[in-house]
C-alpha cells in the first residue's frame, strides 16, 4: 500500500492529484466523489473520493500479458478523511497484479509504482 496524509482541503488535494496524474503521463479515467453522491440522497459523509487512473497504452499491455487481469484496471487512488487530515492511499500496481503471477504484469507494475508514488508525493505531508 502506498499512502500519505495531508492537511490540504479536499478540493485542493484532489486538484493537485489530478495535475500529478497528467504530469506522470497517466490519465484520469474516472473521479468518483462519494460525498457528493451521498449528498444526492440527503446524507452527509466525510471526504471519500476515488480517482481511477491508467493509460490506454498500459491497458493494452495488461491485456496482452493476461486478458483476465483487465478486471484490475484502472488503478484507484482513495482520498478519505474527517477533520483536518486527509489520507490518500493506493495499492501498488505490483500488489494489484501479483495474484496473476505474470512476469509481464510484474514489469508493468514496476513501471507504474514510481509514478503512483510521485503522484502521492505531490501532496504536502501532514
Amino acid at each position: 500500500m502506498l499512502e500519505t496524509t495531508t492537511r490540504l482541503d479536499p478540493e485542493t488535494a484532489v486538484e493537485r492529484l489530478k495535475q500529478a496524474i497528467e504530469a506522470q503521463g497517466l490519465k484520469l479515467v474516472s473521479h468518483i466523489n462519494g460525498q457528493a453522491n451521498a449528498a444526492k440522497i440527503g446524507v452527509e459523509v466525510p471526504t471519500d473520493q476515488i480517482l481511477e487512473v491508467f493509460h490506454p497504452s498500459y491497458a493494452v499491455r495488461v491485456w496482452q500479458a493476461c486478458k483476465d487481469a483487465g478486471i484490475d484496471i484502472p488503478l484507484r487512488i482513495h482520498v478519505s478523511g474527517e477533520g483536518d487530515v486527509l489520507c490518500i492511499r493506493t495499492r501498488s500496481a505490483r500488489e494489484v497484479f501479483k495474484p496473476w503471477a505474470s512476469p509481464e504484469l510484474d514489469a508493468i507494475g514496476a513501471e507504474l509504482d514510481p509514478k503512483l508514488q510521485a503522484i502521492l508525493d505531490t501532496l504536502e505531508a501532514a
Side-chain angles (χ1 to χ4, degrees):
M1 183 74 63
L2 306 175
E3 62 184 292
T4 191
T5 58
T6 185
R7 292 190 181 277
L8 293 171
D9 64 88
E11 293 78 21
T12 301
V14 167
E15 186 56 36
R16 284 195 188 173
L17 289 168
K18 288 178 178 180
Q19 292 170 1
I21 290 164
E22 288 291 325
Q24 288 300 315
L26 298 174
K27 301 292 182 192
L28 180 66
V29 177
S30 178
H31 176 194
I32 303 163
N33 187 327
Q35 71 264 22
N37 288 335
K40 292 175 186 175
I41 60 168
V43 178
E44 188 175 324
V45 299
T47 300
D48 197 289
Q49 299 186 37
I50 296 171
L51 304 176
E52 293 185 323
V53 177
F54 220 60
H55 191 280
S57 63
Y58 283 108
V60 169
R61 289 175 58 197
V62 167
W63 299 329
Q64 289 171 339
C66 177
K67 186 67 169 175
D68 290 342
I71 196 167
D72 286 327
I73 57 175
L75 302 173
R76 303 175 110 205
I77 298 172
H78 186 217
V79 179
S80 63
E82 192 167 359
D84 292 342
V85 178
L86 291 177
C87 186
I88 299 85
R89 295 181 182 98
T90 185
R91 289 189 300 152
S92 72
R94 282 182 268 207
E95 184 181 354
V96 170
F97 296 140
K98 185 177 182 175
W100 299 104
S102 163
E104 294 90 352
L105 291 177
D106 294 343
I108 294 167
E111 288 178 44
L112 288 169
D113 283 347
K115 293 177 180 287
L116 293 171
Q117 186 64 59
I119 291 166
L120 269 56
D121 287 347
T122 63
L123 299 179
E124 300 169 9

